[in-house]
Amino acid sequence: MMALDRLLNVARKEFSDHITSRRFAIILGLLLVISTISIYDGIEQYNNSLEAYTEQLRQMEEFDDPYTSWMPQKPSIMYVFISMMSYMTMLGGILAIAIGFDLVSKEKETRSLKSLLSHPVYRDEIINGKALGGVGALGFAMALALAIAIAMLLIFSVVPTLEEFAGILIFGAVSLGFLLAYFAVALMMSTAAKESGNALIYTLVIFFAVSSLLPMFGAMAANAFAGDPPEPPEMAPMPKEVVRVASSNGYSTTTVAQSVIYGGAEDPEWKAYEEEMKTYIEKQRFISDISNLLSPQTNYYTVAIAVTNPQLSSMIASPYDTAPEEKPGLAGALGKVWMNIAALIVFPSAFFAATYVKFMRMDIR
């Protein structure tokens, strides 16, 4: 029966080995340097957006603006983390693979696994401890990256509100979920392969397959499923309104120009075409969305955009709805991407479960 103290001992040793290894230090250092540069660029863009917002407010107060109902939106500091997101998908994924690809295979190659099992420790404590130690090392890396980001914000006198601070923590949790996805793949391949080199190759194959090939095949399948797009009507849309522009010349009024406003939605044929086109695009999107659920990168992008830019996320989730007058909240944006959040949890869980079963049945002689 698994004992908590023995499990924590294994996890503590694995965590210590990870954070003191040269490989971990090099990749983590590279990740932090690039993240710091991206955060710096993001802060500059945020300050420029804030200056433009302040100038718009000043002009609205100074002049009698006829568009008084339109109010510019104040930029959020969460925009700063958008550029960090793109670096995390590549370097973060490599860091997670580097931690996990030889966790078990290296023990098999050096035959230290057999001697480890001769100690009073069970198999489940070993594999769970190794997984826990790796999760702790990735959590340490993510906490360090967020701490540097928050420190830079404060250095540049950008103080997050309580909601923005919660958004930063959620962004960190989502990023950690993405890293765990590839750590779980690497750990599974390390358990299944006999040598570390093979485990690394298998992991990289899965990495590129789910990050690049899967979305491409998903798009191809979506086009094949949806078929040919509907043809637009041969006739141009009927004019909705003819506007005459007249000029007054003292005693008489002379028409000098006229313009036509086309209203496709008012034309029955064009309205039917728009409905068919909407159905066609929804069919395409249904297939591509299903295939994208298997890609940690796509799920990470979708959820991270919901955290960093809820308005953009809301427009992507409901492209046919009119833009909401009020800025959507973080909870509402996350609610629309719940399937992607669930996929980020299910993906690593499935690989961790497969690793556990494989390790428990493994022939160690």
Side-chain angles (χ1 to χ4, degrees):
M1 184 177 177
M2 186 170 66
L4 184 60
D5 56 340
R6 292 198 294 265
L7 169 67
L8 293 180
N9 283 337
V10 176
R12 197 178 297 117
K13 179 185 178 303
E14 291 293 333
F15 176 77
S16 176
D17 289 346
H18 285 311
I19 63 172
T20 55
S21 73
R22 184 179 299 176
R23 181 172 61 197
F24 181 83
I26 291 174
I27 300 176
L28 175 61
L30 191 61
L31 176 67
L32 293 180
V33 168
I34 294 180
S35 295
T36 303
I37 294 172
S38 66
I39 289 290
Y40 177 78
D41 288 340
I43 291 174
E44 276 199 334
Q45 292 176 12
Y46 167 75
N47 285 332
N48 292 336
S49 301
L50 195 61
E51 286 180 9
Y53 167 77
T54 306
E55 178 63 21
Q56 285 176 331
L57 287 185
R58 189 190 64 76
Q59 288 183 359
M60 289 178 67
E61 290 178 357
E62 187 174 347
F63 303 104
D64 186 17
D65 195 330
Y67 303 103
T68 51
S69 59
W70 177 80
M71 282 291 293
Q73 288 191 350
K74 185 179 179 181
S76 167
I77 65 164
M78 294 307 297
Y79 297 167
V80 170
F81 293 88
I82 292 177
S83 54
M84 184 177 174
M85 178 177 65
S86 58
Y87 293 111
M88 191 62 65
T89 54
M90 180 57 71
L91 283 175
I94 293 174
L95 178 67
I97 292 172
I99 287 180
F101 83 92
D102 63 349
L103 268 184
V104 178
S105 56
K106 189 177 179 181
E107 301 268 13
K108 289 188 285 189
E109 289 171 346
T110 58
R111 299 184 182 278
S112 59
L113 195 57
K114 189 175 179 180
S115 61
L116 181 60
L117 285 170
S118 65
H119 292 78
V121 59
Y122 294 107
R123 285 192 181 203
D124 54 349
E125 293 164 351
I126 293 176
I127 191 62
N128 288 335
K130 283 182 176 293
L132 204 56
V135 172
L138 290 174
F140 171 75
M142 199 63 240
L144 207 56
L146 286 185
I148 291 175
I150 293 173
M152 288 186 64
L153 288 175
L154 296 179
I155 288 172
F156 284 91
S157 303
V158 180
V159 182
T161 64
L162 201 58
E163 185 179 1
E164 289 169 338
F165 188 71
I168 294 172
L169 293 182
I170 294 174
F171 175 79
V174 173
S175 301
L176 180 60
F178 168 73
L179 299 185
L180 292 184
Y182 286 113
F183 171 67
V185 173
L187 184 59
M188 174 61 202
M189 293 301 112
S190 178
T191 307
K194 292 181 179 178
E195 298 176 354
S196 299
N198 290 337
L200 179 60
I201 292 172
Y202 299 153
T203 306
L204 289 177
V205 167
I206 294 177
F207 177 79
F208 287 111
V210 298
S211 62
S212 301
L213 294 180
L214 191 64
M216 188 172 67
F217 284 129
M220 293 170 61
N223 289 333
F225 174 76
D228 295 328
E231 294 288 337
E234 294 181 357
M235 299 292 291
M238 293 175 61
K240 178 181 177 183
E241 185 179 2
V242 177
V243 179
R244 290 182 172 82
V245 181
S247 65
S248 176
N249 185 20
Y251 302 101
S252 63
T253 299
T254 307
T255 299
V256 295
Q258 69 178 26
S259 61
V260 179
I261 299 176
Y262 289 102
E266 300 298 324
D267 188 312
E269 288 190 22
W270 277 90
K271 189 172 182 179
Y273 166 72
E274 287 180 354
E275 290 296 325
E276 290 176 9
M277 198 65 191
K278 180 180 175 182
T279 306
Y280 172 78
I281 293 175
E282 285 177 347
K283 283 168 68 177
Q284 268 190 326
R285 185 169 178 172
F286 176 74
I287 296 297
S288 60
D289 283 352
I290 289 178
S291 64
N292 287 337
L293 285 177
L294 298 174
S295 171
Q297 265 92 345
T298 306
N299 292 317
Y300 175 57
Y301 271 124
T302 305
V303 181
I305 288 175
V307 176
T308 54
N309 194 341
Q311 189 174 20
L312 176 62
S313 174
S314 179
M315 291 170 65
I316 294 173
S318 306
Y320 298 106
D321 293 342
T322 55
E325 293 183 0
E326 294 185 1
K327 186 179 176 181
L330 180 60
L334 288 176
K336 291 187 176 181
V337 296
W338 67 270
M339 290 183 68
N340 303 93
I341 296 174
L344 274 179
I345 297 172
V346 170
F347 188 93
S349 300
F351 276 94
F352 277 133
T355 303
Y356 181 86
V357 173
K358 176 66 179 175
F359 189 82
M360 295 299 285
R361 295 181 176 179
M362 197 164 61
D363 182 16
I364 303 173
R365 285 180 288 186

